[in-house]
Amino acid sequence: GAGVSQSPSNKVTEKGKDVELRCDPISGHTALYWYRQRLGQGLEFLIYFQGNSAPDKSGLPSDRFSAERTGESVSTLTIQRTQQEDSAVYLCASSLAVGGLGVEAFFGQGTRLTVV
Amino acid sequence: AQSVTQLGSHVSVSEGALVLLRCNYSSSVPPYLFWYVQYPNQGLQLLLKYTSAATLVKGINGFEAEFKKSETSFHLTKPSAHMSDAAEYFCAGSGGTSYGKLTFGQGTILTVHP
């Protein structure tokens, strides 16, 4: 596609439910990133993929969070047993290569998750 | 580990005034540095990036940033603010020990008043 696409754009869920957030990166982009942006705060790194592998998962807040990527394309971020502190905008980005090469990352519009 | 610090969570300027948004980085090796802008209800958009080719980097919308190794800084400037510049600005860095991770600062909200 023309840009990074995330779905859904908005998600309201009840505390304790599981949610799946989807990211479709730009075609051909090997690197994919997930970030979380809480209200009034900066971007918090969650995880990045190089191809289908995740070399750095250090940002995942807890074992309730997991992510996978298949076919060097679509990625899914899953949050199990959601808590109110999980409420945030979840941003996905992709780039031609891993960020250390100074390559621009392109961001999606984000998924706004609200846990009630 | 790479870290990026933005000084000032809010900056307010008058239309036509100089814009200066501060960013400092910490790294054991020269990093790659970026400035992104987020307009209200929109995604992040790249303004400019430093990749060691030149220390003064020009970006879109009249913004520029200068990499100063001695000060470990990468401040963003624009000579004359426009109302449309009102947005949140993020400095980000990668490289060094955090090769694969793009690390963001906390963001600076720029307000431009008439």
Side-chain angles (χ1 to χ4, degrees):
Chain A
V4 178
S5 178
Q6 292 186 247
S7 61
S9 54
N10 281 283
K11 176 72 175 179
V12 180
T13 189
E14 292 182 353
K15 179 181 174 181
K17 299 282 190 182
D18 297 352
V19 295
E20 282 190 355
L21 312 181
R22 177 186 170 107
C23 174
D24 285 88
I26 294 172
S27 179
H29 280 193
T30 59
L32 185 148
Y33 309 81
W34 283 99
Y35 290 86
R36 179 168 70 176
Q37 186 176 24
R38 287 173 162 155
L39 187 64
Q41 299 187 24
L43 275 73
E44 177 186 5
F45 169 82
L46 298 178
I47 187 172
Y48 87 89
F49 290 89
Q50 178 61 31
N52 294 330
S53 300
D56 190 344
K57 304 179 183 180
S58 63
L60 294 177
S62 73
D63 59 7
R64 296 187 294 106
F65 287 72
S66 63
E68 66 173 13
R69 188 180 185 195
T70 57
E72 298 197 359
S73 180
V74 174
S75 177
T76 303
L77 177 69
T78 302
I79 309 174
Q80 295 178 309
R81 305 181 303 280
T82 52
Q83 304 294 313
Q84 287 185 331
E85 62 262 28
D86 299 334
S87 297
V89 176
Y90 289 82
L91 292 169
C92 176
S94 70
S95 68
L96 280 171
V98 171
L101 299 179
V103 177
E104 176 183 358
F106 294 82
F107 282 80
Q109 295 287 84
T111 293
R112 183 176 298 278
L113 176 65
T114 304
V115 182
V116 298
Chain B
Q2 174 71 266
S3 69
V4 176
T5 304
Q6 292 181 242
L7 300 178
S9 58
H10 290 80
V11 170
S12 180
V13 300
S14 299
E15 191 173 20
L18 171 72
V19 175
L20 171 61
L21 305 181
R22 300 176 186 274
C23 173
N24 288 86
Y25 68 92
S26 67
S27 176
S28 60
V29 297
Y32 298 99
L33 294 164
F34 307 79
W35 275 99
Y36 282 84
V37 61
Q38 187 176 32
Y39 297 104
N41 300 315
Q42 294 189 30
L44 274 77
Q45 176 184 1
L46 182 70
L47 270 179
L48 50 81
K49 64 180 181 181
Y50 166 75
T51 57
S52 78
T55 57
L56 182 62
V57 182
K58 294 187 183 298
I60 62 172
N61 301 337
F63 284 93
E64 63 182 36
E66 186 172 7
F67 174 75
K68 291 187 177 180
K69 186 177 178 180
S70 61
E71 300 177 6
T72 61
S73 69
F74 189 59
H75 302 332
L76 182 70
T77 60
K78 181 174 180 178
S80 177
H82 192 273
M83 298 293 288
S84 60
D85 294 327
E88 188 162 18
Y89 293 79
F90 293 93
C91 183
S94 65
T97 56
S98 60
Y99 178 81
K101 181 189 300 184
L102 191 60
T103 302
F104 282 82
Q106 291 297 95
T108 299
I109 296 173
L110 175 66
T111 303
V112 182
H113 50 85

